[in-house]
Each structure stands twice: as C-alpha cells, then as structure tokens.
Amino acid sequence: MRFVVTGAAGFIGFHVARALLARGEEVVGIDSLNDYYDPALKRARLAQLSDASRFTFEQVDIADADAMRSLFARARPQRVVHLAAQAGVRHSLNNPAVYIQSNIVGFLNILEGCRHGEVEHLVYASSSSVYGLNTHHPYGPSDSVGHPASLYGATKRSNELMAHCYSHLFNVPTTGLRFFTVYGPWGRPDMSPYVFTRKILSGETIDVFNMGKHSRDFTFIDDVVEGVIRTTDHVATPNADWSGDAPDPASSRAPWRIYNIGNGNPVGLLDFIAVIERACGVKAIMKMMPMQPGDIEASDADITAMNRDIGFRPSTSITEGIPKFVEWYKTYHSI
C-alpha cells in the first residue's frame, strides 16, 4: 500500500514512516525542512530512512497549493498520514501568521489532495491543546473544545472542523488524533524532555513554569506510533447511532472520527523532572516561574474510545521511556 506521510523529517512523522516501511509499505515522505528548530536533526532523521527502497522524499511546503496538487497527482497515495504542522504553543504568540499558513492553508491543501485523489483514509494530527480552558478531567474526545487558550490550539480545532466538512460533503474518511505530550528518541529540541535533559547535563538552570504545578499525560513515541498505524488500518466510518438532536462531538453521520492518543496516566512536572535527573545522574538546578500565556495547567487523556475502537493500549511509563530518551540524547550529541 502507498502512503504519503507529511512531516516525515519531523519527530512523529519520522517514526511513523520508519514503522510503515518496516511492515512493507511504500512511503512518500514530504517535509519543508524549515528552521523552526535545527534542520540538521531533521536531515539526520531522514538519513535513517534513506536506505529503504520503498521510501522516497520530496521537500515540499504543504502551504504551496500547486506543489501539493502535483505531489498528489504523482504519488497517488491510498492513505495519508498528515503530521506536518507548525507546532508549539508559545511560538504562536509571536508568529501567528506561520500557524495560519501551515496549519490552516496547508491542511486545506491536504484535504483537497485527498478529495481529488480519492484517498481511502486521512489520519491527521490534532492536539490536546484543543481542550483549552476546559478543566474537566480526564479530557474525553466528546468534551467541549470551544474555548482555545492558544492560536495553535485554535488551528488544530479548525483542522477537525475542516476535516468534518470534507467527510460530510465529499465522503473523505478522516480521523483526527489529539496527541498528548509525545516524547522519546529523536524528539523535538523545543519540548521539555529535550530542554530539561540538555540543561541538566550541562549544569544550566531550568525554568519550571507554573511553579512546578503542571501535570502532563506524557506519551512515549513507540506507543504513539502503534496507535497511529492502527488508526490508518481502521478506516473511519459513519456512526450509525449519531443523531443531530444530540450530536456526539467525536463522531458523525459522515466518515469522521476524533480520538485522544495519550498514555492515560498524567505525571506531575516535578516528578517528571526527577525521573530525568535519575536518568542523567545529575540534579537539576530549578527556577520556579509563573504560568506562561497560552499554557494549560494539566492534560489528562481519556483513551477509552481509542482502546475500544482501535485496540490502543499504551504500555510505556516514564520510568521506562525517559532513560531511552536520555540514552539517545547522549549518543546523538556524543556525550
């Protein structure tokens, strides 16, 4: 089967592409290789894929409509895993335009490619950030997501609504996955596991926001990849019980589904830092800081529906996952 994986040089996209190749699929990977973080890490990920005979890579900006039309016409994918996006809550405070271009315009181009290319299933990355000001825990895919706390979260919610339109109007099967704080080897340098590990090992002070009162549903990359691939195999279908009188926000009479993809076991930020300290063998120097604009205090995934429908059962705790990340970090940076 032929897949297009967008963001193939990114953290999750790289791992998904590698897993699809390992099971014998053909993968066309696309990425813009932008400089949101060091492109050398993106190229290093791609180098891990380049030996696979069934992998081809194209450097394409998903916001370029002409380039995307051409790519879909050439690749003719049967399924699409869309993981390219401008990520990061804090970056969206200072650079909002890039989020509209990548996450809204780019996503429209993906939907158009799937519509006209008669793609069997589009699986795309949403985010736990869509829950915004909602303080009901654990977050369930049928909970309210009408009050985003960041433009990033708003663009991801927009993706879900745009996908529904295409599922409803053009019968494009789509499944959105709300990722919860994914970490692991080859992770993004702007995310807390990478930042904390780098600073702890170099003796720098780490900023601990919200005075350390945050909690996050940290999800190991291997679990996420299994969930993504299981989802691609489980093509979205209409919910036969769906009613417009009492509409379920996570399904539809169209072939459209929304799931949480998390660990289901939130961890306090200070406990998370303690695990990194043990893996590094170094105590952290911490500076307690107030809550950052656009941030949320806690994320906690209800993965019941994902377990029921997809068979998703994450199994990696932070005490297993963090040492694997730290080991990769030391190897990659020759420490």
Side-chain angles (χ1 to χ4, degrees):
M1 186 175 296
R2 183 180 297 115
F3 286 77
V4 159
V5 176
T6 73
F11 173 34
I12 302 175
F14 154 69
H15 282 280
V16 168
R18 185 167 65 173
L20 287 170
L21 290 166
R23 78 171 199 176
E25 310 294 359
E26 183 179 350
V27 176
V28 178
I30 69 172
D31 202 292
S32 68
L33 298 177
N34 67 29
D35 61 358
Y36 171 61
Y37 59 84
D38 187 359
L41 176 57
K42 300 177 182 181
R43 294 191 180 96
R45 294 180 184 127
L46 285 176
Q48 301 288 308
L49 303 173
S50 60
D51 288 339
S53 61
R54 296 179 309 281
F55 179 73
T56 57
F57 174 73
E58 297 200 31
Q59 186 171 345
V60 177
D61 183 347
I62 60 171
D64 184 334
D66 290 339
M68 291 303 296
R69 276 193 294 270
S70 177
L71 183 139
F72 270 89
R74 292 193 310 276
R76 300 188 62 82
Q78 293 156 288
R79 299 190 184 178
V80 173
V81 183
H82 176 53
L83 300 169
Q86 178 57 59
V89 168
R90 291 171 192 149
H91 189 59
S92 70
L93 301 177
N94 301 316
N95 297 275
V98 299
Y99 287 77
I100 300 303
Q101 279 298 110
S102 181
N103 298 6
I104 303 297
V105 176
F107 190 62
L108 175 63
N109 292 334
I110 295 294
L111 288 169
E112 280 288 284
C114 291
R115 169 194 175 188
H116 294 292
E118 299 182 345
V119 168
E120 296 172 359
H121 193 196
L122 166 63
V123 175
Y124 63 93
S126 186
S127 169
S128 60
S129 293
V130 301
Y131 291 104
L133 300 184
N134 189 335
T135 57
H136 173 264
H137 294 290
Y139 292 140
S142 295
D143 285 350
S144 171
V145 288
H147 300 85
S150 67
L151 181 64
Y152 170 67
T155 63
K156 287 300 184 179
R157 178 54 179 160
S158 297
N159 288 172
E160 296 175 354
L161 298 174
M162 293 165 70
H164 184 268
C165 290
Y166 273 70
S167 296
H168 170 65
L169 293 171
F170 308 116
N171 202 38
V172 178
T174 67
T175 301
L177 297 176
R178 294 173 177 168
F179 291 109
F180 280 70
T181 317
V182 185
Y183 75 98
W186 297 99
R188 281 189 3 230
D190 62 316
M191 295 189 70
S192 60
Y194 207 116
V195 172
F196 291 163
T197 298
R198 175 176 61 81
K199 291 189 172 184
I200 288 171
L201 287 173
S202 63
E204 299 177 54
T205 299
I206 63 174
D207 293 335
V208 181
F209 294 108
N210 196 31
M211 311 303 288
K213 296 177 183 177
H214 280 315
S215 67
R216 292 288 182 268
D217 204 330
F218 293 100
T219 315
F220 191 62
I221 185 62
D222 290 359
D223 291 331
V224 166
V225 169
E226 181 184 357
V228 170
I229 292 179
R230 282 178 176 268
T231 303
T232 67
D233 294 338
H234 189 87
V235 178
T237 58
N239 178 0
D241 297 324
W242 194 89
S243 168
D245 290 332
D248 170 22
S251 65
S252 175
R253 65 165 60 99
W256 176 88
R257 298 283 173 149
I258 298 291
Y259 296 106
N260 286 338
I261 183 164
N263 187 273
N265 291 289
V267 176
L269 181 57
L270 295 179
D271 293 331
F272 184 69
I273 292 170
V275 176
I276 298 176
E277 289 176 321
R278 289 195 295 272
C280 292
V282 181
K283 291 293 291 181
I285 305 168
M286 293 184 277
K287 180 182 179 182
M288 296 299 173
M289 302 283 286
M291 176 86 90
Q292 293 291 286
D295 215 345
I296 58 175
E297 185 163 316
S299 69
D300 181 0
D302 180 344
I303 56 174
T304 303
M306 185 76 167
N307 181 295
R308 179 194 65 223
D309 296 347
I310 311 295
F312 174 66
R313 296 177 179 84
S315 60
T316 310
S317 68
I318 61 167
T319 56
E320 299 171 88
I322 285 296
K324 292 179 180 179
F325 169 74
V326 171
E327 180 182 2
W328 168 83
Y329 180 93
K330 289 180 175 180
T331 300
Y332 181 75
H333 290 282
S334 302
I335 296 174

